[in-house]
Amino acid sequence: MSDAMLSKVRKLLAKAEDPACTPAEAEAFTAKATELIARYGVDRALLAARDPGTDPVGDRIVDIPAPYALDKAGLLAGVADALRCRSVRRRGGSGFVMHLFGFASDLERVELLFTSLLVQAAHGISVAPVPPGDHPAAFRRSWLAGFAAAVAGRLRRAEAAAASTAPSGAPSVALVLADRSDRVDRRLAEAYPRLRTAAPRRLLGGGLEQGAAAGRRADLGGTELRSSRPAQSVGGASTEVRG
C-alpha cells in the first residue's frame, strides 16, 4: 500500500477507534477506510495480473495471545477469508498462532484491519452490558462471535462492490481474483497437505446480537444474526492443525 494511502487509512481507522467517537462517526470513518482498502485490493490484483512480480504470494505468522484467544483468532480468520487470504490455526503457548497465506497486498490489508478491529472490539465489549443471568466470559465470547461474523459479511460486500466498479478495459476482475484465490489455496496445500476444518463452536452467552450490532455500527457488518440464550453454533473460516 502506498505511503499516502496507508497514512490516510490509518488516520481514518484511528478516528473510528477513538472511544470518544460516536457510533455514527465511527461508521463513517470505517466505511471510508474499508472502501479505500477494498479498492486498493482490486487495483493491486489487476496490476499483478500484468506484472506478477509486484505482488507475490506469501505467508506470515500472527500470534494470538489469551484472553479470548480462540475468539480473536475467529475474527482474524473471518477478515482473512473476506480479503482472499487463508488461515491455519495452531496452538501456541497460552493462545494460538495463525498462519496466514495470501498475496502480499492482501496480507497487508488483513493485518491493518485486524489490528484496528481488535481495538474497536475491546472498546465495544468493555461497555456492553452483561444481561442478568449470563456468565460474563460466555457473554463476551458470543459478543465477539457476533462482531466477527458481522465484520466478515461487511468486508465481503465491500470487496464485491470494489470488483464491480473496476475500470473499463481492464481484464476480467472475476477471473483475476479467482486465479489469485486458486494460487493461495495451492500455496496453503503445499505447506499443510493434511488439514481439517475447525469444528463449529457452540456458545452459551447472549451477546451475539450486541456484538453483531457493534460490527454494523463500525460499518463492517450486515449479516442478520439473532441472539438467544440457548447454545449457538458458530463456524469459523480457518482450518486447524494439531500441535
Side-chain angles (χ1 to χ4, degrees), residues 66-232:
Y68 303 109
L70 185 56
D71 310 283
K72 290 184 284 190
L75 173 61
L76 177 55
V79 171
D81 188 65
L83 300 187
R84 296 184 295 279
C85 295
R86 299 293 179 264
S87 61
V88 175
R89 190 180 72 218
R90 307 192 312 241
R91 287 283 181 182
S94 61
F96 290 95
V97 170
M98 295 290 282
H99 195 171
L100 304 180
F101 295 83
F103 283 81
S105 62
D106 293 331
L107 291 170
E108 181 182 28
R109 296 190 301 149
V110 169
E111 286 201 315
L112 179 63
L113 272 175
F114 177 62
T115 300
S116 176
L117 288 165
L118 277 183
V119 175
Q120 296 185 53
H123 290 327
I125 207 168
S126 68
V127 299
V130 179
D134 253 16
H135 189 283
F139 171 81
R140 289 169 187 145
R141 290 189 184 98
S142 61
W143 191 101
L144 286 167
F147 183 83
V151 161
R154 180 60 187 92
L155 287 174
R156 281 191 291 269
R157 285 191 293 278
E159 293 293 301
S164 69
T165 58
S168 58
S172 170
V173 177
L175 291 177
V176 168
L177 297 183
D179 178 68
R180 284 167 71 90
S181 293
D182 287 343
R183 292 176 62 187
V184 173
D185 287 340
R186 290 198 298 270
R187 179 64 178 269
L188 182 146
E190 291 170 359
Y192 294 96
R194 298 178 65 183
L195 280 177
R196 65 182 180 86
T197 302
R201 300 177 65 201
R202 292 184 63 80
L203 301 175
L204 297 173
L208 196 66
E209 186 175 311
Q210 286 194 45
R216 289 191 291 268
R217 286 197 299 271
D219 198 39
L220 290 175
T223 45
E224 292 299 325
L225 296 170
R226 293 184 179 179
S227 174
S228 60
R229 302 302 277 279
Q232 300 146 351

Side-chain angles (χ1 to χ4, degrees), residues 33-43 84 109 155 158-159 162-163:
T34 305
E35 178 188 341
L36 292 175
I37 288 172
R39 190 184 308 157
Y40 169 80
V42 171
D43 288 346
R84 296 184 295 279
R109 296 190 301 149
L155 287 174
E159 293 293 301

